[in-house]
Amino acid sequence: MEIRFVRAGLEDAEEIHAMQLEAFRELLCKYQDFDTSPGCESVERVKARLMQDFTYYYYIYMGPWKVGAVRVVDRKEAGRNKRISPIFVLPRFQGRGIAQQAIRLCEEIHGGTDWELDTILQEKKNCRLYEKMGYRNTGKTKVVNERLTLVFYEKKRE
């Protein structure tokens, strides 16, 4: 089933926050990254991002259901990467190719090249997803704690 985006606004902050906490709950429990996990962010942080003029939050819909959301940072400056952070699909909708479709839709809306993102190195399925979508490991990593390391990806012009 195809997905579609609906742009979210400041009035959607609490709902996005609740969805984000649900989507990242399992990873937060697994990796205990209380300082960096989107599963630990405050609603105030979501509101602050929604107020940024370079931030685009989209609900991800599959049919009539809100199945997740994605935040795109697009400063619309030449030579500056766009960023996906975060992207999430609610647990009951995972494993259906929704994230792939959402990344494609982000690239259709904001341009197909000059992107960056990061993910958990230990989550091999996430790494495979981004690599399958044409993102390349930059070689940069950041150790968050003894359980979790972030790995950085980018998608540049070929």
Side-chain angles (χ1 to χ4, degrees):
M1 178 176 272
E2 290 294 309
I3 64 154
R4 64 186 169 87
F5 281 174
V6 173
R7 179 103 185 254
L10 187 57
E11 68 278 5
D12 299 306
E14 291 190 20
E15 183 177 27
I16 289 170
H17 179 253
M19 292 171 71
Q20 182 173 299
L21 295 184
E22 179 182 347
F24 284 97
R25 184 175 295 123
E26 183 180 325
L27 292 174
L28 178 62
C29 290
K30 183 176 182 179
Y31 294 108
Q32 305 287 303
D33 57 323
F34 299 107
D35 294 330
T36 62
S37 173
C40 221
E41 281 185 352
S42 68
V43 71
E44 288 77 23
R45 180 79 172 126
V46 174
K47 286 178 182 177
R49 287 179 171 163
L50 278 160
M51 291 190 291
Q52 296 169 330
D53 60 359
F54 51 83
T55 284
Y56 302 81
Y57 263 101
Y58 301 100
Y59 282 115
I60 304 168
Y61 276 84
M62 184 178 72
W65 303 285
K66 287 180 187 169
V67 299
V70 60
R71 174 181 174 242
V72 173
V73 176
D74 185 355
R75 297 180 193 279
K76 300 189 184 297
E77 296 174 14
R80 188 146 188 186
N81 285 348
K82 297 167 285 277
R83 180 169 180 73
I84 295 173
S85 178
I87 182 172
F88 57 87
V89 176
L90 295 172
R92 65 189 168 275
F93 295 103
Q94 291 175 4
R96 301 182 191 189
I98 294 168
Q100 288 180 55
Q101 289 184 56
I103 291 168
R104 279 190 212 103
L105 202 46
C106 288
E107 293 174 355
E108 285 176 25
I109 294 168
H110 294 275
T113 59
D114 301 324
W115 286 89
E116 63 183 47
L117 53 83
D118 58 74
T119 193
I120 300 169
L121 178 65
Q122 292 81 359
E123 291 296 314
K124 298 304 178 195
K125 68 179 184 182
N126 290 355
C127 295
R128 280 193 301 273
L129 164 68
Y130 298 128
E131 290 165 8
K132 185 167 135 178
M133 299 301 298
Y135 288 75
R136 300 290 169 244
N137 185 326
T138 66
K140 180 182 171 193
T141 60
K142 178 183 177 187
V143 176
V144 174
N145 62 35
E146 65 280 354
R147 297 176 189 91
L148 183 148
T149 300
L150 293 176
V151 60
F152 295 82
Y153 285 87
E154 66 181 4
K155 186 173 189 176
K156 293 289 195 182
R157 283 189 183 90
E158 301 285 316

